[in-house]
Amino acid sequence: MAEFTMELNDEQKEVRDWLHGFAADVMRPAAAEWDEREETPWPVIQEAAKVGIYSLDFYAQQYFDPTGLGIPMAMEELFWGDAGIALSIVGTGLAAVGVLANGTEEQIGTWIPQMYGDQNDVKVAAFCSSEPDAGSDVASLRTRAVYDEARDEWVINGTKTWATNGGIAGVHVVVASVDPELGSKGHASFIVPPGTPGLAQGQKFKKHGIRASHTAEVVLDDVRVPGSCLLGGKEKLDERLARAREKAKAGGERVKNAAMATFEASRPAVGAMAVGTARAAYEVALDYATTREQFGRPIIDNQGVAFQLADMRTQIDAARLLVWRASWMAVNGKPFTAAEGSMSKLFASETAKKVTAQAIQILGGNGYTREYPVERMHRDSAIYTIFEGTSEIQRLVIARTLAGMPIR
């Protein structure tokens, strides 16, 4: 088990500096354009692929960092560059993690390379879980998968929403109910291969922020996929469903919702994204406050401005430490007895909204214009208190954990 440390090692610092350089030199100059266009920044993704950032190998290296700090460090630097472009770069990872967590070795080897493509022909993938009537309440999924034994195929029907890369992806990973009576325990995940008939993009959302990241509905109308596309395989699914039915019949103890438990472990990464955006806004505000003069002196000489900056920096550092703690706990198998994953995401996301708003205030009228990036950062920051569980859900998870109640 790696000991907790407040210092990055030399290798981590090298990776951090490399990512920071890409974020500063490639992502930031393109940020305003792709925000205005509200389109997927394919050229930037391709550049990321060329240097090795947009690849499974890179994320695997960070994921298996024994300190747990590889992923949060990478997320912070990329989202410091620009949240919308960064989400376009890391969004495929959501689908890849779904396959890594649930798939067989053969499925992992077959599908994950197709999710990324290569540096000359980049692809993206989509993870489709949320639905119009099932966001935070994951147990209420209506998308249904029915097994056609005669043809060894699964038939999937339903509508997914808020899917990053939905419809433009080659590979879609779709969560569907195979036994509605079991609630969330009756869910399974499926690969929908590129070009599968019946899958179509629905509404593309025009968003308040992260506009360079494509978000859309995915409509599944009698989508047929081979039996081999059930992640983990049918034998494993049948065994899991049988256990769940036995527990339900026996009135067994209530078990923590598996999807919620997975989210709890992944939330520190979202917290790191929020830290990156907050840090970016703080740095713009600090630079402005030290160079902007009013009444013959820099505005940072005014206590009202200086105290805001002091609070901003304190909150950012505190958020980062909560993220690092939860990330270290997760990689070392430490149980989140106080919902530390949700704590990190809650505090970091709320910090990002607050810090970016303070940055606009410090820049005054300039901060309200698109000439300065804090306006965009403030719009982008709003998503952190919504996706991967709203702030209200984080508080609910923390409260139920402290009370010794199951997470539902």
Side-chain angles (χ1 to χ4, degrees), residues 103-272:
T104 64
E105 289 187 11
E106 182 179 357
Q107 289 170 329
I108 291 169
T110 299
W111 296 111
I112 291 184
Q114 294 187 47
M115 292 181 174
Y116 287 91
D118 58 50
Q119 59 181 275
N120 296 314
D121 184 23
V122 294
K123 306 291 186 182
V124 295
F127 182 73
C128 306
S129 177
S130 294
E131 297 183 4
D133 296 318
S136 298
D137 184 8
V138 294
S140 299
L141 293 184
R142 295 185 180 180
T143 297
R144 186 79 191 275
V146 178
Y147 186 57
D148 182 344
E149 188 171 2
R151 300 174 61 174
D152 185 26
E153 291 180 338
W154 288 90
V155 185
I156 309 173
N157 284 281
T159 299
K160 295 296 182 178
T161 193
W162 309 122
T164 299
N165 298 329
I168 66 170
V171 176
H172 289 74
V173 177
V174 176
V175 181
S177 174
V178 296
D179 190 334
E181 292 184 1
L182 293 176
S184 62
K185 299 178 187 66
H187 294 173
S189 296
F190 299 85
I191 292 285
V192 180
T196 300
L199 184 147
Q201 178 183 310
Q203 175 188 7
K204 177 187 175 182
F205 296 104
K206 296 182 72 66
K207 304 187 298 294
H208 176 63
I210 56 167
R211 301 198 303 196
S213 173
H214 175 96
T215 310
E217 290 181 333
V218 174
V219 180
L220 303 113
D221 183 10
D222 283 338
V223 170
R224 285 183 169 267
V225 299
S228 60
C229 287
L230 166 64
L231 289 180
K234 193 167 188 304
E235 183 178 347
K236 184 178 178 181
L237 172 66
D238 288 343
E239 291 175 357
R240 178 166 61 82
L241 294 178
R243 289 195 302 269
R245 292 186 188 111
E246 283 300 315
K247 285 185 179 180
K249 187 184 299 183
E253 63 178 359
R254 294 156 73 188
V255 180
K256 179 183 285 188
N257 181 296
M260 294 295 282
T262 300
F263 287 146
E264 176 70 7
S266 66
R267 280 166 178 159
V270 180

Side-chain angles (χ1 to χ4, degrees), residues 50-114:
K50 286 180 179 178
V51 300
I53 293 174
Y54 185 71
S55 70
L56 176 63
D57 288 345
F58 171 73
Y59 290 107
Q61 289 173 13
Q62 305 315 309
Y63 180 80
F64 289 112
D65 181 338
T67 69
L69 301 185
I71 289 295
M73 177 193 66
M75 295 299 105
E76 180 176 338
E77 293 304 325
L78 291 174
F79 281 75
W80 172 90
D82 178 69
I85 293 177
L87 194 57
S88 288
I89 292 173
V90 307
T92 293
L94 298 173
V97 167
V99 176
L100 284 169
N102 302 298
T104 64
E105 289 187 11
E106 182 179 357
Q107 289 170 329
I108 291 169
T110 299
W111 296 111
I112 291 184
Q114 294 187 47

